[in-house]
Amino acid sequence: MSTMKAAVIYEAGGPEVLKVETRPIPKPEKGQVLIRVKAFGLNRSELFTRQGHSPNVKFPRVLGIEAVGLVEEAPGNEFQKGEMVATAMGGIGRMFDGGYAEYTCPPATQVQAIKTEIPWETFGAIPEMLQTAYGSLFRSLLLKKGDHLLIRGGTTSVGLAAAAIAKNHGAQVSATSRRADRAEMMHASGVDHVFIDKGEIAADVRKKFPEGVDKVLELVGVTTLGDSMKCAKDGGIVCMTGMVGNKWSLDNFSPMDFIPTAVGLTTYAGDSNDFINTPLEEMAQQIKAGTLHVQIGKVFHLDDIVEAHRTMEENKAGGKIVVLT
């Protein structure tokens, strides 16, 4: 077989601009790995790219900043045929064609082999999600055992993953949701206390925890960042990682007014090295053992990529969206 199915975008727009078509299977060069994709997770950065907010991404393009599957070919012998692998970051789905296909061909330096067998729909959920959660917690927030972590946007896939990882690390975890009926799902991922987010939560957080919290993971973005800053105690750190609020910059930013005294503000974007440094094998073992909870929202097939993107855009998944090929 020399052809594959792929979801291709030719122009920015709604979910319907993703077109499933037949394309030639990529031919790997030395230093690349041809992966037979079994599953991939959807990410909001792909939604933004589809909407036209990623000027550096040239169309037509096969989107998808992550994928999992089996090695089909590695001319440089970095991996063996049939190995279970994951890839993410490093330009996949942006600078070159990505995971929304039956085959993808990333650099070998952006591939991790995983020996622990877990279901494809679970494996497909974890590369980018766990990389983002892990990097935010330990690279940017410097999370320690005993820290009190507040997750703003606690029902996002990264928020739920961060809660589970932080709880396993010995942190106390609080998180927010706009919906009270999501509390049970959050508790299942390790959240100790749920705050209902009506736009401002600082007063409620300070009422429950007068000194504030040690670390805040901001996943909603600049629309709530100022309020999240007020939740951190002296010496605390706030990390902005997500932008589900669909706003990219602060209006009339005045640092002296915006940043409380003795509170640190940082970000986490994740780069190529961050993915490779994420202990996916260790976390896959924890998932298989049942000690790390991964919240799968909905599972689709590649043929249903338009509906999958629509579900992501409407925030209807209740966890990570995974697409099987």
Side-chain angles (χ1 to χ4, degrees), residues 87-274:
T87 185
M89 313 295 289
I92 184 172
R94 297 178 65 83
M95 305 307 293
F96 56 91
D97 286 341
Y100 289 17
E102 292 178 320
Y103 289 85
T104 191
C105 196
T109 53
Q110 281 307 116
V111 178
Q112 282 199 51
I114 306 295
K115 300 189 183 306
T116 300
E117 292 190 8
I118 53 179
W120 287 117
E121 58 265 31
T122 303
F123 193 16
I126 69 174
E128 175 65 10
M129 180 177 72
L130 294 189
Q131 176 271 134
T132 304
Y134 184 89
S136 297
L137 294 177
F138 298 113
R139 185 178 179 194
S140 293
L141 284 172
L142 308 176
L143 189 74
K144 305 186 303 293
K145 182 178 181 179
D147 275 351
H148 186 176
L149 170 70
L150 171 65
I151 303 171
R152 191 78 181 256
T155 58
T156 61
S157 61
V158 172
L160 293 166
I165 293 170
K167 191 67 175 178
N168 279 0
H169 195 66
Q172 180 182 358
V173 182
S174 295
T176 72
S177 175
R178 292 176 298 174
R179 293 171 48 178
D181 62 349
R182 293 289 179 91
E184 184 176 345
M185 177 177 70
M186 296 163 75
H187 290 314
S189 289
V191 174
D192 299 299
H193 187 84
V194 174
F195 290 98
I196 303 303
D197 194 344
K198 298 178 181 177
E200 295 183 353
I201 60 164
D204 290 341
V205 171
R206 291 287 182 165
K207 183 177 180 181
K208 179 75 174 178
F209 306 107
E211 292 186 0
V213 300
D214 299 293
K215 309 289 167 64
V216 182
L217 176 55
E218 175 60 75
L219 297 173
V220 178
V222 297
T223 56
T224 55
L225 181 59
D227 186 61
S228 292
M229 296 291 295
K230 299 173 185 176
C231 299
K233 63 171 60 171
D234 281 8
I237 305 174
V238 180
C239 173
M240 181 173 145
T241 294
M243 294 184 294
V244 296
N246 290 348
K247 188 177 180 183
W248 286 265
S249 60
L250 292 163
D251 299 325
N252 303 316
F253 177 58
S254 172
M256 295 297 287
D257 295 329
F258 189 83
I259 304 174
T261 298
V263 173
L265 173 61
T266 187
T267 64
Y268 181 80
D271 58 27
S272 302
N273 290 333
D274 288 311

Side-chain angles (χ1 to χ4, degrees), residues 4-5 25-28 32-40 66-75 79-88 92 96-113 120 123 127 275 325:
M4 66 175 185
K5 191 181 294 183
I25 295 173
K27 296 184 183 303
Q32 295 179 319
V33 180
L34 180 63
I35 299 171
R36 179 155 59 93
V37 178
K38 302 294 287 186
F40 57 87
E66 65 177 323
V68 301
L70 300 171
V71 173
E72 186 70 20
E73 187 180 352
F79 299 92
Q80 300 301 308
K81 183 173 182 177
E83 275 193 281
M84 284 180 61
V85 292
T87 185
I92 184 172
F96 56 91
D97 286 341
Y100 289 17
E102 292 178 320
Y103 289 85
T104 191
C105 196
T109 53
Q110 281 307 116
V111 178
Q112 282 199 51
W120 287 117
F123 193 16
F275 170 68
T325 62

Side-chain angles (χ1 to χ4, degrees), residues 7 15 18 39-48 50 63-67 99-101 121 124-129 132 156-158 298-302 304-313 317 319-324:
L18 294 165
F40 57 87
L42 294 194
N43 298 280
R44 294 196 76 83
S45 66
E46 296 152 3
L47 186 153
F48 297 147
R50 194 206 75 216
L63 299 182
I65 64 170
E66 65 177 323
Y100 289 17
E121 58 265 31
I126 69 174
E128 175 65 10
M129 180 177 72
T132 304
T156 61
S157 61
V158 172
K298 291 190 176 182
V299 178
F300 293 88
H301 189 272
L302 181 57
D304 302 315
I305 190 68
V306 170
E307 185 60 30
H309 255 248
R310 185 172 289 114
T311 299
M312 174 169 59
E313 190 163 356
K320 183 73 172 182
I321 297 174
V322 179
V323 179
L324 301 175

